[in-house]
Amino acid sequence: MSHGQNFSRRDFIKISSIFLAGSTALSAGAAQAFSGAGSSVGDEGSKVVYSFCEHCFWRCGIAAHVRDGKVYKITGSDHHPLSQGKLCPRGTGGTGLLYDPDRLAYPLIRETKGGKQFYRKASWDEAITLVAEKLYGIKEQYGPGALAMLHHGYGVSFFKNMFSQIGVNKYAKPSYDLCCGPARQATVLTYGYPSDTPEGFDMKNSKYMVFFGTHFGENMHNTAVQEISEGIRNGAKIVVFDPRFSTLAGKAQHWLPIKPATDIAMMQGLMHVLISENLYDKAFVEAHTVGFGELWDSVKDMTPEKVSAITDIPADAIRTVAREYAFHAPAAFVHSGRRTNWYGDALQRIRAIHILNALVGNFKMPGGVVAFQKFPLVQPPPTHEHPAYEKEVHSKYPFFPDDEPSNTIASHEIVQQAISGEVKGLLIYGVNLPETMTLGRDKAIEAMKKAEFVVAVDVLPSEVTGYADVVLPECTYLERYDDLDNGRAFRTPFVALRQPAVPPMYDSKPGNQIAKMITEKWGIHGAFPPSVEKGLDKKLKLVGSSLAEIKKKGVLVMPETDLYRKPGEPLNLKTPSGKVELASARLKAGGFDAVPKYTAHPEPPTGFYRMLTGRKPMLTFGRTANNRFLGDLATAKENEVWVNNRIAEKHSLENGEYVHLKNQDGVVSEFPVKVKVTQRIRTDAVYMVHGFGHTSAKLTWAHKRGASHNQLISRTEIDPAMGAVGFQNNFVTFIKEA
């Protein structure tokens, strides 16, 4: 028997069906609940449990409707300020995960006998003992920096506490590198505070909203969609710069199909018009910003005519947008978006957005940029403290955050360190690494093969579980407590509770219990409260509440805060100057451009097209890919590749036919993808939704559906300032099926 094999001997293992939920004695009951049969709320034996969703990072408040011990419906909580009684399709489909017959049902341990690798069912005590021994052994032999955790999901706080007990502090969530990281750090450098989710834009009171490739309505983001809709009802105009006619573009007064990779040039062109035509807010700029002269020097040559030649947007359209934007200011904004890193200049791209906002004086003004506040939950002092290891990432990326507790290092650095041998042990929590846009599928698999020991904590038999030495089945978010959610700011500050609607099914356990068991195997007791309920109650009593009180509605809410500045009010920002930094002294001192400047990106080779990506309303990548409730909807069964009708004619492609995609490095998609011929995308790009093309056969709904976008990523660009990953300099062409 061998557990932590050499990388050359850790193969992908197909998890046997006998280890999945569908084969257990509870499957009949699960099937009954999955069918949704029964009567409405209020019948005998029914109840409503308030919690918050886990299907995306937005974490909306939910009401889980339970009857006879089964969740049969999920609706939006009327009490939670993010949901306001409404949910997106993904949120309502949570029962599809809870009662997924492909769920992991038992702990699994990898074995090798006769040269063949396989998984066997293990008891929790055996699996936890092995995990504790291997992780602690690696720490003792190589030091705490040899252990790392990749994570996604709110339950990770327990595993961070677990690792802190032995001095391990190497954590990363890939979504930071891909989505929110550049926006967070750009806001720090410009305004002196980190951006949050929801981002600080007063959308419902705005009169003019400008978006660069932000796909509200497709990525959902419940609260934002509600507020945009309210703004539209109040007469707001929308402008969308996007190579593709998105759902949001369908609501816009101006859709401007900008050439991909030229956003910064467009933003410089808008700045040029605002300044050269004296449309900017002179009083605000003079009183509350620094670096205006340096900014003008960088954009004075970026005339609309010059920018038009770069972006393919007519010069008159550039002038029109700039003038309309200034006319509606300060009740106008340019949105920073989500999934902000497309190329290696994401920090500067979002900085350019913030500068456009500052030029019209919309900071802390109705309809402009606002700084939301957090619920003042008092955090008890930690029971165990260790100094963080020296974060070598800052020597490479000076503006990687040093105050963001979910990330002490970039996720791609963990992948590279596992490949190089510096990281020996990986704990992967809720991250399907082979299909995560960190460095592409091949690098992810190489990292897991080379690590000495890999443990995966997951709900489903996703691809990552096939490379683990131990698989620990966590119960779903509907079956567990997690830490209190007050890690975000909003116009109505709140703290929310995740609580179980039903007990854990099969032999799965909540993350808090898994982390506690590992910690106690190390002989460390008292790191966790006697029960998760007592720990939550203790935190809530510090603000005059209790677990019993918050369970009633699932949330504590403060009155809406005053978001707007008064006339003459100083901003007192936490930047070096105390003002909005149009030119950043910190960036300049670090050897980077103080103001954003456009740099051309690689062009597609002849016959290839830039690969753009996004989401569908029913899909949050790995969290919903196998969800039958959501996947059975016609628009969610598979992804498509959007191809301009002229390009389709050039390649003899017909609408609805299947093709394989080949990227610039010769990587061919493992599965075919359906062609969508359309005029709604530029001729130099194609578009496909990420999160399809799963290779794990035990994801019986997701397996082989569509093509994997992640498989076709073989080139990445790392933002040199803050370390985020850009992946839109990959290009594809078509291989016809026949």
Side-chain angles (χ1 to χ4, degrees):
M1 182 173 70
S2 175
H3 299 307
Q5 298 91 342
N6 181 276
F7 72 90
S8 64
R9 298 192 61 199
R10 185 187 289 113
D11 301 323
F12 176 80
I13 299 177
K14 293 182 179 180
I15 294 175
S16 171
S17 297
I18 65 172
F19 302 140
L20 305 180
S23 65
T24 71
L26 290 178
S27 60
Q32 178 185 349
F34 189 84
S35 69
S39 54
S40 62
V41 175
D43 289 351
E44 186 176 353
S46 65
K47 63 178 180 178
V48 176
V49 178
Y50 293 102
S51 187
F52 60 87
C53 187
E54 181 81 340
H55 274 177
C56 82
F57 61 87
W58 210 263
R59 303 198 293 273
C60 294
I62 62 172
H65 300 257
V66 181
R67 183 179 52 247
D68 298 329
K70 301 179 182 67
V71 179
Y72 69 92
K73 182 173 68 173
I74 298 175
T75 60
S77 169
D78 293 321
H79 309 298
H80 198 296
L82 293 187
S83 54
Q84 302 178 76
K86 300 180 178 69
L87 284 183
C88 77
R90 299 192 300 259
T92 62
T95 50
L97 176 64
L98 175 61
Y99 299 120
D100 192 325
D102 297 335
R103 274 182 60 173
L104 294 165
Y106 307 104
L108 304 175
I109 291 178
R110 176 185 296 262
E111 286 199 3
T112 301
K113 289 183 180 178
K116 184 179 179 180
Q117 298 182 20
F118 60 93
Y119 282 124
R120 66 171 176 83
K121 178 182 175 181
S123 69
W124 273 100
D125 186 68
E126 181 186 16
I128 291 294
T129 298
L130 177 60
V131 169
E133 288 177 351
K134 288 291 185 179
L135 294 179
Y136 196 82
I138 289 171
K139 192 272 296 189
E140 288 294 286
Q141 184 174 355
Y142 302 106
L147 290 178
M149 177 169 62
L150 292 165
H151 65 89
H152 193 88
Y154 207 65
V156 72
S157 61
F158 304 109
F159 292 94
K160 289 194 296 183
N161 181 29
M162 176 195 84
F163 267 141
S164 77
Q165 307 304 314
I166 57 172
V168 174
N169 188 29
K170 190 174 279 189
Y171 319 131
K173 57 178 179 180
S175 62
Y176 181 86
D177 295 355
L178 305 167
C179 293
C180 54
R184 182 191 193 277
Q185 294 306 94
T187 313
V188 168
L189 289 165
T190 310
Y191 292 108
Y193 66 90
S195 64
D196 213 322
T197 302
E199 293 81 9
F201 295 93
D202 190 17
M203 291 186 284
K204 67 180 183 180
N205 295 309
S206 184
K207 300 302 180 185
Y208 201 82
M209 311 181 212
V210 182
F211 299 92
F212 280 82
T214 298
H215 299 158
F216 286 125
E218 295 169 348
N219 57 16
M220 296 314 296
H221 300 177
N222 185 2
T223 320
V225 172
Q226 291 189 49
E227 293 202 350
I228 291 173
S229 299
E230 187 172 349
I232 292 173
R233 287 193 295 271
N234 292 334
K237 292 184 177 181
I238 291 179
V239 178
V240 172
F241 290 94
D242 198 322
R244 180 181 67 95
F245 190 80
S246 63
T247 297
L248 186 61
K251 308 296 182 184
Q253 276 65 43
H254 305 297
W255 170 52
L256 301 165
I258 189 171
K259 181 179 180 180
T262 65
D263 286 7
I264 292 179
M266 176 57 67
M267 295 169 195
Q268 288 186 293
L270 295 172
M271 293 176 202
H272 175 96
V273 176
L274 291 173
I275 297 173
S276 65
E277 297 188 7
N278 290 313
L279 300 175
Y280 69 99
D281 188 330
K282 296 183 182 65
F284 180 86
V285 168
E286 290 176 2
H288 299 296
T289 75
V290 294
F292 179 76
E294 197 167 349
L295 175 68
W296 172 240
D297 287 343
S298 72
V299 302
K300 63 184 177 183
D301 295 329
M302 296 297 283
T303 64
E305 287 72 23
K306 181 177 180 178
V307 170
S308 176
I310 296 170
T311 64
D312 287 349
I313 301 301
D316 286 347
I318 297 171
R319 288 190 174 93
T320 295
V321 171
R323 291 165 181 169
E324 290 180 353
Y325 176 54
F327 175 81
H328 289 93
F333 62 75
V334 183
H335 201 285
S336 59
R338 188 80 185 188
R339 194 178 69 75
T340 54
N341 198 17
W342 305 337
Y343 310 99
D345 55 7
L347 182 77
Q348 295 286 24
R349 192 179 75 85
I350 307 300
R351 278 261 301 140
I353 287 174
H354 288 323
I355 291 168
L356 276 169
N357 285 312
L359 284 176
V360 298
N362 66 7
F363 185 62
K364 298 184 72 174
M365 294 294 286
V369 176
V370 290
F372 293 143
Q373 296 184 29
K374 291 184 179 181
F375 188 98
L377 186 68
V378 180
Q379 295 292 348
T383 58
H384 213 80
E385 285 191 276
H386 286 282
Y389 71 94
E390 184 177 354
K391 290 177 277 190
E392 68 275 9
V393 69
H394 287 97
S395 64
K396 294 183 180 180
Y397 313 114
F399 297 99
F400 189 84
D402 57 7
D403 61 345
E404 214 284 323
S406 294
N407 296 275
T408 60
I409 190 170
S411 61
H412 61 84
E413 286 289 311
I414 289 179
V415 171
Q416 294 283 23
Q417 288 181 13
I419 292 172
S420 70
E422 182 177 346
V423 164
K424 307 289 186 182
L426 281 172
L427 190 153
I428 305 176
Y429 176 78
V431 175
N432 189 15
L433 192 58
E435 294 304 319
T436 300
M437 295 178 286
T438 301
L439 293 174
R441 180 190 287 178
D442 288 349
K443 291 288 187 183
I445 292 174
E446 185 181 2
M448 290 186 293
K449 284 185 173 182
K450 287 191 173 181
E452 286 189 10
F453 185 73
V454 178
V455 55
V457 182
D458 217 316
V459 175
L460 293 170
S462 56
E463 285 80 3
V464 68
T465 61
Y467 292 96
D469 294 294
V470 178
V471 179
L472 301 177
E474 186 181 34
C475 58
T476 71
Y477 70 97
L478 293 166
E479 303 164 291
R480 69 176 193 249
Y481 285 104
D482 278 336
D483 209 346
L484 295 169
D485 180 15
N486 84 311
R488 63 183 60 211
F490 191 50
R491 65 172 72 245
T492 309
F494 66 90
V495 57
L497 173 71
R498 173 169 288 152
Q499 59 179 321
V502 290
M505 295 174 66
Y506 317 111
D507 200 11
S508 63
K509 290 186 182 296
N512 60 76
Q513 190 174 346
I514 296 171
K516 183 179 180 183
M517 289 191 297
I518 294 172
T519 306
E520 291 180 347
K521 285 290 183 182
W522 291 333
I524 301 171
H525 300 277
F528 291 87
S531 69
V532 66
E533 294 94 333
K534 289 184 178 180
L536 295 171
D537 191 56
K538 180 178 179 181
K539 288 185 178 182
L540 290 162
K541 283 181 176 176
L542 292 174
V543 291
S545 184
S546 66
L547 181 60
E549 179 183 356
I550 198 173
K551 287 177 72 172
K552 296 174 184 177
K553 295 182 177 180
V555 66
L556 303 176
V557 181
M558 290 174 58
E560 185 167 322
T561 54
D562 185 3
L563 299 175
Y564 312 127
R565 57 185 165 93
K566 308 296 187 297
E569 178 185 349
L571 299 185
N572 296 323
L573 298 176
K574 295 181 181 179
T575 57
S577 63
K579 299 182 178 183
V580 180
E581 303 226 337
L582 307 179
S584 170
R586 291 182 61 196
L587 280 172
K588 189 172 185 178
F592 299 96
D593 290 331
V595 293
K597 296 178 182 177
Y598 167 71
T599 302
H601 290 276
E603 296 288 335
T606 302
F608 283 74
Y609 308 91
R610 191 179 301 274
M611 183 174 60
L612 308 178
T613 189
R615 286 183 172 177
K616 291 192 176 199
M618 287 68 67
L619 181 73
T620 321
F621 309 153
R623 296 201 180 273
T624 55
N626 205 56
N627 190 311
R628 287 156 175 76
F629 278 1
L630 301 174
D632 199 36
L633 300 171
T635 56
K637 287 185 176 179
E638 59 184 319
N639 56 356
E640 301 170 311
V641 57
W642 291 37
V643 182
N644 181 274
N645 57 314
R646 288 162 52 192
I647 301 305
E649 183 178 354
K650 176 181 176 181
H651 289 270
S652 301
L653 302 177
E654 295 184 5
N655 189 60
E657 78 168 297
Y658 286 85
V659 298
H660 286 266
L661 301 177
K662 180 175 74 172
N663 80 356
Q664 71 284 336
D665 296 319
V667 178
V668 178
S669 63
E670 186 168 355
F671 306 128
V673 63
K674 184 188 291 187
V675 174
K676 176 175 181 170
V677 178
T678 178
Q679 297 182 34
R680 293 168 58 189
I681 191 167
R682 288 174 51 96
T683 58
D684 53 1
V686 299
Y687 170 85
M688 62 190 298
V689 171
H690 180 83
F692 287 88
H694 284 272
T695 60
S696 174
K698 297 309 174 187
L699 296 173
T700 56
W701 185 258
H703 184 226
K704 292 187 177 181
R705 289 180 180 267
S708 168
H709 164 256
N710 201 53
Q711 184 196 356
L712 296 165
I713 296 175
S714 56
R715 295 185 184 179
T716 54
E717 289 184 313
I718 309 301
D719 190 309
M722 54 75 61
V725 183
F727 49 84
Q728 283 192 181
N729 279 336
N730 286 274
F731 311 98
V732 296
T733 191
F734 317 101
I735 301 175
K736 291 176 72 69
E737 279 282 85

